[in-house]
Amino acid sequence: MRVEGKLFCMDSLCFHGGGPLTVGDIEEIDGKKCIDCPWHHYKVTIEGGEKLYQSTVMDPETKKLKPAGWKSVGQRQRVHKVEERSDGFYVCLDVAGKIESDKYCTNEAGMVMGVTPDSQRPSEEGKGGIASAGTTGSRGYAGKPSGQIFQGMRGQVPPRR
C-alpha cells in the first residue's frame, strides 16, 4: 500500500480474526499511521504491525474508567519490505520468527478457503479501500492468503538489480 507517498507491505488478513485489511481505513493515532480492521476495528500500525489499543484507568473519585491514552501490545501483524522499481513492485518477505497473523496467511486458522474469490465476482463500483494487486471486490481477497501464494514461490526469488 502507498500512504503519503511511502510504500508499505503487510499480510492482508488481520491477525485477530482474518478480516480483510485491504479494505480497512487508514487513520493516524499518536503520530502513527494505522489500518482500522473493518471487522472488529483493531488498529494495526502499517510500519511495524503493532496492535494499538486505547488504555483506561480507574478514576479514584468517580470509580469509573477513563481514557489513558493509546498503547501498543507489540507486533501482531507481519510486515514486509517493499520497493518500487521500473518493472514493478518487489517484496522482500520477512519470515523470521512467528507472528500472530501467520495463522491466517498460511490457513492454520482453518478459514473456509472455498469461497468465490472477489476476482470472479462482479465489481462493486465506488467501493474504496487500499489498492491490492489482483483484487476487484470489496473484501480485497484474491482467492488465496498471501502466505499460501508465497509458499508456492519459495526458491523462485527474482535476482536483485
Side-chain angles (χ1 to χ4, degrees):
M1 74 191 90
R2 189 184 304 270
V3 178
E4 295 179 352
K6 189 172 177 186
L7 287 173
F8 299 92
C9 182
M10 67 172 52
D11 289 346
S12 63
L13 300 178
C14 181
F15 71 90
H16 171 248
L21 294 178
T22 55
V23 295
D25 291 328
I26 295 179
E27 55 189 71
E28 189 170 309
I29 297 174
D30 284 348
K32 295 180 180 183
K33 297 292 183 188
C34 301
I35 291 181
D36 178 37
C37 178
W39 283 6
H40 302 107
H41 300 288
Y42 276 49
K43 313 295 187 202
V44 179
T45 64
I46 60 174
E47 196 159 343
E50 297 174 78
K51 177 203 178 220
L52 300 182
Y53 69 98
Q54 192 166 23
S55 64
T56 57
V57 295
M58 181 70 73
D59 184 318
E61 293 178 19
T62 64
K63 304 290 187 221
K64 293 183 179 181
L65 292 175
K66 64 179 186 177
W70 288 92
K71 307 236 188 235
S72 169
V73 296
Q75 184 179 12
R76 298 292 186 264
Q77 194 73 26
R78 188 171 295 279
V79 294
H80 309 283
K81 293 179 183 170
V82 62
E83 65 181 61
E84 185 174 11
R85 299 181 189 169
S86 62
D87 60 342
F89 295 91
Y90 288 78
V91 174
C92 179
L93 297 178
D94 176 0
V95 294
K98 186 141 177 88
I99 304 284
E100 200 167 340
S101 66
D102 293 348
K103 65 186 174 211
Y104 292 103
C105 86
T106 61
N107 203 25
E108 289 174 31
M111 290 182 66
V112 177
M113 302 313 290
V115 297
T116 303
D118 282 336
S119 59
Q120 296 173 8
R121 294 175 191 235
S123 178
E124 295 179 40
E125 295 300 321
K127 295 287 183 180
I130 301 166
S132 179
T135 62
T136 58
S138 63
R139 292 181 307 139
Y141 177 64
K144 285 186 180 180
S146 59
Q148 289 182 359
I149 294 168
F150 292 132
Q151 282 176 346
M153 295 172 57
R154 289 187 192 250
Q156 300 177 18
V157 179
R160 189 162 173 87
R161 293 181 185 181

